[in-house]
Amino acid sequence: MDEKNVKIKDIRNIGIIAHIDAGKTTLTERILYYTGKVHRMGEVHDGNAQMDWMVQEQERGITITAAATTCYWRENRINIIDTPGHVDFTVEVERSLRVLDGVVGVFCAVGGVEPQSETVWRQADTNEVPRIAFVNKLDRPGADYQRVIQQIRDVLKANPVSMQLPMGSGADFHGVIDLVDMKAYRWDGDTLGAELITEEIPSEMAEEADESRQRMLEAVSEYDDDFAEIYLEQDDVAAVDIRKYIRRAVIAGQLVPVFCGAAFRNVGVQPVIDAVIDYLPSPRDMPAIKGKTPAGEQVSRAADYEEPFCALAFKVASDPHVGKLIYLRVYSGKLNSGAEIFNASREKRENLQRILLMHANKRHKLDELAAGDIVAVVGLKGTYTGDTLCAPTAPMLLEAPIFADPVTQVAVEPRTQKDQDKLVKGLASLAEEDPTFRVSTDKETGQMLIAGMGELHLEVVIDRLEREHQAQVNVGRPQVAFKETITRSVVIEERYVKQTGGRGQYGHVKLCLEPNDQGKGFDFQDKVREGRIPKTFIPSVEQGVREALESGPLGGYPVFDIKATLLDGSFHEVDSSEIAFKMAGFLAARRALEKAGGVVLEPVMDLHVVTPEKNLGDVLGNIEMKGGRVTMVETSGDTQVVDAEVPLATMFGYAGDLRSMTQGRASYSMQFRQYSVRRVKKDGAGSERKGGKSLLVAGLTLIGLIPYLF
């Protein structure tokens, strides 16, 4: 199909989201096969899935980076982003949801709504992305379709409506009943599920199907008065009306249609592709994107070719063949390759050299990009994640995505002198790609620190440094990214006076430092009376305060959630300067931190463990030993599910601990919850050394790359 002939109303920009191992990539591989995009199904467990193209993904059997592709179904173009399920790579989900119009949420029929399912669902809520759901793995023992639907309602606070019923369960699962067309569907195993066999509903399920259909129609009528009128007046509501009004409710965020199947066994995939077309919105169905002009005025762009060009750079990647790739979601207008564009975020012009339609890591050259497209471009050297690109004649700035701060860090150094340049260039390239990966230098030890979202995140970074950038490195023991904050308000007056015979330095400030709301970061306010301090010196005071907060008095950790207010001060007409007021602000903030009741904050994680019942006592005891707090224990089939809050500092190497306790029969997942005041343990696991950094930070002696990352 010629992509140039596709209208905006026939485009679907969707993402596949779920907890790790729910079957996202397996579902995506089937979608690509049945739409004719590929002629061979790749399998995650074989390491040959089309969308898991990175070596690290193939070796681990997980998705690490969001991969984009395009396929066609029923004269519609579907742009798909397959996202990771592991919490360490949640940035890939966040930036993908920022630019998508719809989502397919995949749930395991056995595991149900798992922790990362909640995380990605909340991310979709935040971005107001319409959703449909696919309950996968109904061929597994213990699968329960109705239980998963109830969990979607109870845990995710959504309004699921069942569109299908499974025929059989576990090993007996063999097809589905469609509640809109009231037909039974089976899939031919000889054609790898490509041939759909339509039958009448089995007599033993006819009554259940009728009742389920009525519940579906009642659910739709509750959210749409127009449909309620049709439902009351007509004995048999037409399928076309059902689809029309369900689509309307989905786009409004009122309903989540639920489908079922077993993607690995090639059962139930085509109805999901149909549902993407029938129920998820096109770019035309979504509200116009809003932004601001350079003058600060509100402006919007509709999904229309005639509007001025506007796009968001949501991902940066390095390609060994073409260099720096910038992934764009185009919201309005059209643009040809070679055109000049304006980066409104950085106020600079760049030339668009090449436009590429991506299929994982494969590329197809395009002559133009247009509203509704998700493409990659080459040539934008000064563009980064979150930047707004627009027409030079109609500049506008979109709201940039906000990403979480890293919680785990390690020290790295080159093994040899020749690795030094490779390491620096490799780290710069990886930091450019990943907004949650940070590189810094410890001011006390001079060591280079890399920080990320977890042990697996940093392990993959080290692996990529060595494979892609040929930089051999030594790696330190994983450590926690602690923070500091204050508990009370302090007012400090500080004069910075320096006289050396000629022109001196004079800066005088009166500063109030007080706690800010959790997660609010740093706020600076100027309340100086007119003329007491010239306005040109105020930014210097703020800069001095910011630099003082880079290293707190308790352990040298960054200080967060602080509100600084400049109350008063004075200046000297000759001796005052920007550096003098910067030093005054710095010294005032340092003195205030020492008197403001500082506390160390540590990252606390949500821990989710699924364990055999006979090992429950050992698991609970181990969590308590690590300073954790159990929040829930419930039975799920023949296993026990444990939820707990645990300090990250005690959780390094937990995978090995859990394997030993349960003989490898338990599984777990862990994700960041919040920063909390650090609780010091008597056994030393969380102890601090007076007047210095914690033992975890002090233990930065570099060692070889041995099993400290896992």
Side-chain angles (χ1 to χ4, degrees):
M1 182 176 180
D2 186 0
E3 56 264 353
K4 292 183 179 180
N5 294 327
V6 177
K7 299 177 181 178
I8 296 178
K9 69 178 182 64
D10 297 325
I11 296 175
R12 301 292 183 273
N13 292 316
I14 69 163
I16 314 291
I17 63 172
H19 186 86
I20 190 171
D21 202 34
K24 298 179 303 301
T25 302
T26 301
L27 174 63
T28 306
E29 293 291 320
R30 268 65 184 170
I31 292 174
L32 296 178
Y33 180 75
Y34 298 138
T35 57
K37 179 70 176 183
V38 299
H39 302 291
R40 179 185 60 83
M41 290 183 192
E43 301 294 356
V44 174
H45 62 273
D46 291 334
N48 60 8
Q50 296 271 335
M51 304 305 287
D52 286 348
W53 59 271
M54 294 176 64
V55 175
Q56 292 81 5
E57 294 175 317
Q58 295 166 357
E59 290 179 347
R60 292 166 175 79
I62 62 171
T63 301
I64 292 173
T65 184
T69 188
T70 298
C71 58
Y72 297 88
W73 185 255
R74 287 169 36 190
E75 304 302 314
N76 293 265
R77 183 169 79 213
I78 307 175
N79 298 319
I80 303 174
I81 298 181
D82 178 32
T83 66
H86 197 286
V87 66
D88 282 18
F89 309 105
T90 190
V91 63
E92 297 287 338
V93 183
E94 183 63 43
R95 60 182 169 189
S96 298
L97 288 173
R98 176 67 169 78
V99 299
L100 293 172
D101 300 324
V103 157
V104 179
V106 182
F107 299 90
C108 174
V110 180
V113 176
E114 298 171 280
Q116 186 65 3
S117 305
E118 293 185 60
T119 300
V120 297
W121 199 268
R122 286 197 302 270
Q123 290 172 318
D125 283 338
T126 300
N127 290 280
E128 298 181 344
V129 183
R131 276 147 279 178
I132 62 175
F134 176 63
V135 179
N136 192 25
K137 301 187 179 183
L138 278 164
D139 58 327
R140 297 284 184 91
D144 191 332
Y145 177 58
Q146 296 299 335
R147 179 176 64 88
V148 177
I149 291 178
Q150 190 61 42
Q151 286 183 342
I152 294 174
R153 180 176 291 109
D154 295 341
V155 179
L156 303 181
K157 309 304 179 185
N159 296 307
V161 55
S162 178
M163 307 297 292
Q164 296 176 332
L165 287 179
M167 293 194 292
S169 63
D172 296 328
F173 176 66
H174 58 280
V176 303
I177 294 173
D178 186 290
L179 299 178
V180 176
D181 292 324
M182 291 301 283
K183 296 289 185 181
Y185 297 141
R186 290 191 299 108
W187 281 262
D188 183 12
D190 295 333
T191 62
L192 297 178
E195 183 177 339
L196 183 66
I197 302 171
T198 304
E199 301 175 338
E200 295 301 316
I201 297 173
S203 57
E204 65 272 15
M205 294 192 68
E207 183 177 352
E208 182 183 359
D210 284 335
E211 293 175 353
S212 297
R213 178 183 168 89
Q214 291 306 312
R215 285 196 295 270
M216 175 191 69
L217 297 178
E218 290 170 2
V220 181
S221 65
E222 288 181 11
Y223 294 100
D224 197 304
D225 292 338
D226 293 340
F227 182 79
E229 188 174 334
I230 295 173
Y231 175 55
L232 293 173
E233 292 178 353
Q234 299 180 11
D235 293 334
D236 187 18
V237 182
V240 65
D241 285 332
I242 297 174
R243 292 191 175 95
K244 172 185 174 182
Y245 287 100
I246 289 181
R247 174 184 177 81
R248 202 153 86 173
V250 170
I251 293 174
Q254 295 175 330
L255 289 180
V256 178
V258 184
F259 300 83
C260 59
F264 183 68
R265 284 181 53 188
N266 312 314
V267 176
V269 177
Q270 291 94 330
V272 175
I273 313 176
D274 285 331
V276 167
I277 305 301
D278 291 337
Y279 303 121
L280 291 180
S282 74
R284 275 273 168 82
D285 297 315
M286 300 300 288
I289 194 72
K290 296 180 180 178
K292 293 183 178 181
T293 65
E297 299 175 355
Q298 290 285 343
V299 65
S300 62
R301 297 278 188 269
D304 194 294
Y305 299 142
E306 303 304 319
E307 289 266 12
F309 170 73
C310 179
L312 182 72
F314 68 93
K315 180 180 171 72
V316 176
S318 297
D319 188 285
H321 303 290
V322 299
K324 183 177 177 180
L325 282 176
I326 307 293
Y327 284 76
L328 301 182
R329 163 63 198 268
V330 185
Y331 289 105
S332 62
K334 276 188 177 183
L335 212 61
N336 294 322
S337 58
E340 183 181 70
I341 60 175
F342 181 66
N343 185 327
S345 302
R346 304 186 186 274
E347 298 182 347
K348 61 184 296 184
R349 298 185 181 223
E350 296 203 71
N351 289 317
L352 189 64
Q353 295 178 2
R354 295 172 63 187
I355 304 170
L356 305 171
L357 189 66
M358 301 300 295
H359 171 57
N361 64 331
K362 299 179 178 65
R363 304 166 300 279
H364 170 63
K365 188 176 179 181
L366 300 177
D367 295 325
E368 69 174 15
L369 49 77
D373 286 349
I374 292 179
V375 295
V377 297
V378 179
L380 308 183
K381 297 181 181 179
T383 298
Y384 301 91
T385 300
D387 287 359
T388 303
L389 303 174
C390 52
T393 56
M396 70 176 294
L397 184 64
L398 303 177
E399 183 181 354
I402 299 174
F403 303 109
D405 291 327
V407 296
T408 306
Q409 62 185 14
V410 296
V412 295
E413 70 173 7
R415 289 186 184 173
T416 65
Q417 187 62 38
K418 69 178 183 180
D419 290 316
Q420 176 70 37
D421 290 342
K422 296 177 182 178
L423 174 60
V424 172
K425 291 178 181 178
L427 290 174
S429 176
L430 294 173
E432 188 177 57
E433 291 183 26
D434 186 351
T436 60
F437 173 65
R438 311 278 172 82
V439 183
S440 62
T441 301
D442 188 291
K443 293 183 178 179
E444 293 185 11
T445 65
Q447 292 172 320
M448 185 177 292
L449 302 177
I450 60 173
M453 300 305 295
E455 293 178 271
L456 180 59
H457 187 191
L458 294 180
E459 182 189 4
V460 169
V461 166
I462 298 298
D463 194 30
R464 292 187 64 189
L465 277 174
E466 297 190 339
R467 295 196 192 201
E468 297 175 20
H469 300 279
Q470 288 76 52
Q472 300 301 309
V473 298
N474 293 323
V475 184
R477 189 186 300 268
Q479 51 185 282
V480 176
F482 292 108
K483 296 181 180 181
E484 294 183 29
T485 193
I486 59 177
T487 58
R488 59 176 178 265
S489 175
V490 174
V491 176
I492 292 290
E493 193 166 359
E494 181 69 42
R495 281 180 173 84
Y496 177 73
V497 182
K498 188 175 183 182
Q499 196 69 39
T500 58
R503 177 179 174 178
Q505 296 285 354
Y506 180 89
H508 169 215
V509 299
K510 186 176 182 181
L511 187 73
C512 175
L513 233 58
E514 57 187 321
N516 205 353
D517 294 336
Q518 187 174 23
K520 293 294 185 180
F522 174 71
D523 287 333
F524 182 84
Q525 294 182 359
D526 171 23
K527 292 188 177 180
V528 177
R529 288 175 294 169
E530 186 70 29
R532 296 287 293 173
I533 300 178
K535 292 295 183 184
T536 55
F537 295 147
I538 302 300
S540 299
V541 178
E542 179 180 354
Q543 183 61 34
V545 175
R546 286 184 180 273
E547 291 187 9
L549 299 182
E550 291 177 1
S551 178
L554 297 178
Y557 311 118
V559 185
F560 282 78
D561 296 336
I562 299 291
K563 183 184 294 183
T565 305
L566 183 58
L567 301 173
D568 199 2
S570 64
F571 75 103
H572 189 278
E573 292 184 358
V574 177
D575 292 345
S576 288
S577 64
E578 292 181 356
I579 188 65
F581 274 96
K582 178 179 175 180
M583 287 301 301
F586 177 86
L587 295 172
R590 295 298 295 177
R591 284 180 55 203
L593 289 175
E594 293 174 356
K595 298 181 178 182
V599 291
V600 175
L601 301 176
E602 66 177 344
V604 174
M605 315 297 285
D606 279 329
L607 177 68
H608 180 84
V609 182
V610 180
T611 179
E613 186 171 2
K614 68 176 184 178
N615 303 116
L616 179 62
D618 292 333
V619 170
L620 294 177
N622 184 258
I623 291 173
E624 183 178 357
M625 184 181 69
K626 291 180 177 295
R629 182 176 70 88
V630 176
T631 58
M632 186 203 72
V633 179
E634 69 174 10
T635 302
S636 177
D638 57 354
T639 62
Q640 296 291 317
V641 178
V642 179
D643 285 342
E645 298 173 9
V646 292
L648 176 60
T650 65
M651 295 303 291
F652 293 117
Y654 184 67
D657 295 343
L658 191 63
R659 277 196 300 268
S660 299
M661 285 185 287
T662 65
Q663 293 76 49
R665 295 186 178 91
S667 62
Y668 84 100
S669 62
M670 190 168 62
Q671 63 187 45
F672 174 72
R673 178 180 180 83
Q674 64 185 16
Y675 269 90
S676 296
V677 176
R678 192 177 185 205
R679 294 175 293 174
V680 179
K681 289 179 63 64
K682 293 181 180 180
D683 63 6
S687 63
E688 292 204 33
R689 185 179 291 171
K690 289 185 179 180
K693 293 196 173 185
S694 69
L695 293 178
L696 281 168
V697 179
L700 277 172
T701 304
L702 295 181
I703 52 177
L705 185 56
I706 53 180
Y708 282 104
L709 288 173
F710 259 113

